[in-house]
Amino acid sequence: MQHHLVAHTPPMGWNSWDCYGAAVREEEVRGNAQYMAEHLKKYGWEYVVVDIQWYEPGAVSSQYRPFVPLEMDSYSRLIPAVNRFPSAADGRGFQALAEYVHSLGLKFGIHIMRGIPRQAVHQDTPILGTTATARQIAHPNSICPWNTDMYGVDASKEGAQEYYNSLFDLYAEWGVDFVKVDDIAASRLYGIHLAEIELIRRAIAECGRPMVLSLSPGPAPLEHASELIANANMWRMTDDFWDVWPLLHGMFERCEKWAEHVGPGHWPDCDMLPLGHLGIRSVDSVASGSHDRWTRFTKDEQLTMMTLWSIFRSPLMFGGEMRDNDTWTLSLLTNEEVLDAHRNGVGARQVYRKDDHIVWTSHNEEGYVYAALFNAGDEVSKVRVSLKDLGIEGQASARDLWNHMDLGTLDQELSADIPPHGAALFILK
């Protein structure tokens, strides 16, 4: 499929949601882009993504203000709020911000909600490229249960495709490289919205600019894996993922179910990496942590997350304020040996799961084998796996990728003492 040529390896980047919620400002996007260019670009990190409600002038936190006026052009399309994104003045949209990101050798992305703005429907504004109007293509019973900005689009109506075409033509003019579409992969009210996903896929093809298509939220339905692969580059396997152990522990089962659907250009997504400085504009929420904080994950849990995301080959989207990264956090993002497993590993699978011991493996094109050992228990424990179960006959040399340490020759098994909620990642030759 043509769109699988985009994001041939799992996308790596930064998304503003975990630290700034719905209220990120242009100077913060530019600052994080500059940090990425200076510290992370050479390791493969490249996408800078502005998350939800960049069109909401009064957004100040992670909480959505219901039924407020949004910035919109004369053709029913949301545009950046100039008070938060000054370079959007005079109808420039995100063009100047995207140009800045591109000047750093990086790529620019945005978040959108599926559908058409409610205020466009209520005002019955025109749609570019058609005589249809917003009210005529809206599906007013198709709403998002947690955000009031949009109505769904009725794909059967004349003008529906033209509306999405006009959106993505605009994004192409701005220089957008990555679009995260929300309230579409799964919905608490309706399930997956396949018709609108297909409208969006056609609109991206029509606009002529390669764009990564990311679908949220999750969990995306496994029974629709073929349709997701046929239309998207990445899709969420989970609802919002935050820095609490039960959510990380639950990701092992999700990865096991989705592993067979991982491949070039189509990536089941474990969601963002809630690392570093989080919740800067957070409001009360049990899941998100409800406060300005550093990640609640222990260092061993952070290693577990990075190891699982890497061997499974989830997209890696960092969620913290990067300019505040300490040495430890930066080290998690710049381990070239681990990132090589993420970039080049294939055939990831769970070898076994017994009690609190979990082992995953993959391999690269040169025939080297990766092995990830996890201890999901609350005490230090030795985790073992036979070389035979890793697909290795005879002996193998092993290297610890997190610690950059050769372990010598193994005869029959690989084993390691793993801390509580911890992990180790090896390459065997």
Side-chain angles (χ1 to χ4, degrees), residues 222-238:
L222 188 64
E223 62 269 24
H224 288 293
S226 61
E227 292 100 328
L228 291 164
I229 292 170
N231 289 285
N233 297 107
M234 48 190 278
W235 55 89
R236 286 259 296 276
M237 309 185 305
T238 176

Side-chain angles (χ1 to χ4, degrees), residues 161 164-165 168-169 198-207:
Q161 185 65 63
Y164 272 114
N165 288 353
F168 283 86
D169 286 346
E198 290 168 353
L199 290 176
I200 290 167
R201 168 47 51 205
R202 289 193 289 269
I204 295 175
E206 185 272 341
C207 82

Side-chain angles (χ1 to χ4, degrees), residues 152-199:
V153 166
D154 186 337
S156 69
K157 296 296 180 65
E158 183 179 348
Q161 185 65 63
E162 287 82 0
Y163 166 69
Y164 272 114
N165 288 353
S166 75
L167 278 187
F168 283 86
D169 286 346
L170 181 63
Y171 302 157
E173 291 174 14
W174 289 348
V176 172
D177 307 295
F178 182 110
V179 180
K180 173 183 174 182
V181 186
D182 215 334
D183 189 44
I184 197 164
S187 169
R188 296 170 195 166
L189 294 177
Y190 314 103
I192 192 169
H193 292 274
L194 283 175
E196 286 194 77
I197 292 172
E198 290 168 353
L199 290 176

Side-chain angles (χ1 to χ4, degrees), residues 65-112:
R65 301 189 310 141
F67 305 108
V68 295
L70 308 174
E71 294 292 324
M72 189 178 77
D73 74 2
S74 58
Y75 290 107
S76 311
R77 302 176 296 187
L78 295 171
I79 56 176
V82 174
N83 65 319
R84 292 171 50 200
F85 298 91
S87 70
D90 301 319
R92 296 197 68 195
F94 275 128
Q95 184 176 357
L97 183 53
E99 286 175 354
Y100 174 73
V101 172
H102 293 156
S103 75
L104 299 173
L106 303 173
K107 296 179 180 179
F108 179 70
I110 60 173
H111 171 291
I112 65 171

Side-chain angles (χ1 to χ4, degrees), residues 221-362:
L222 188 64
E223 62 269 24
H224 288 293
S226 61
E227 292 100 328
L228 291 164
I229 292 170
N231 289 285
N233 297 107
M234 48 190 278
W235 55 89
R236 286 259 296 276
M237 309 185 305
T238 176
D239 203 345
D240 286 1
F241 178 81
W242 285 105
D243 47 330
V244 290
W245 171 248
L247 294 180
L248 178 53
H249 187 257
M251 199 63 70
F252 287 99
E253 181 179 359
R254 296 183 189 278
C255 288
E256 182 187 13
K257 290 178 178 178
W258 278 101
E260 66 179 291
H261 302 293
V262 173
H266 53 92
W267 310 106
D269 180 13
C270 295
D271 200 14
M272 286 180 281
L273 300 165
L275 294 171
H277 189 186
L278 305 169
I280 295 170
R281 300 211 176 100
S282 184
V283 295
D284 288 344
S285 167
V286 174
S288 68
S290 73
H291 60 283
D292 186 339
R293 68 190 185 283
W294 280 75
T295 184
R296 293 170 292 186
F297 281 140
T298 67
K299 286 187 175 181
D300 287 309
E301 289 167 349
Q302 293 174 57
L303 285 171
T304 288
M305 179 175 61
M306 289 299 298
T307 300
L308 180 60
W309 270 234
S310 295
I311 198 162
F312 174 75
R313 303 189 79 195
S314 171
L316 300 179
M317 301 300 290
F318 186 83
E321 167 52 77
M322 291 190 290
R323 294 170 292 180
D324 294 338
N325 281 353
D326 57 11
T327 302
W328 163 260
T329 305
L330 182 59
S331 75
L332 294 173
L333 310 179
T334 56
N335 186 311
E336 292 183 280
E337 294 182 276
V338 172
L339 293 175
D340 189 67
H342 176 255
R343 188 173 297 109
N344 297 314
V346 296
R349 63 182 177 88
Q350 181 175 285
V351 178
Y352 77 83
R353 181 172 186 170
K354 183 177 181 182
D355 300 325
D356 293 322
H357 293 183
I358 306 167
V359 175
W360 275 71
T361 189
S362 67

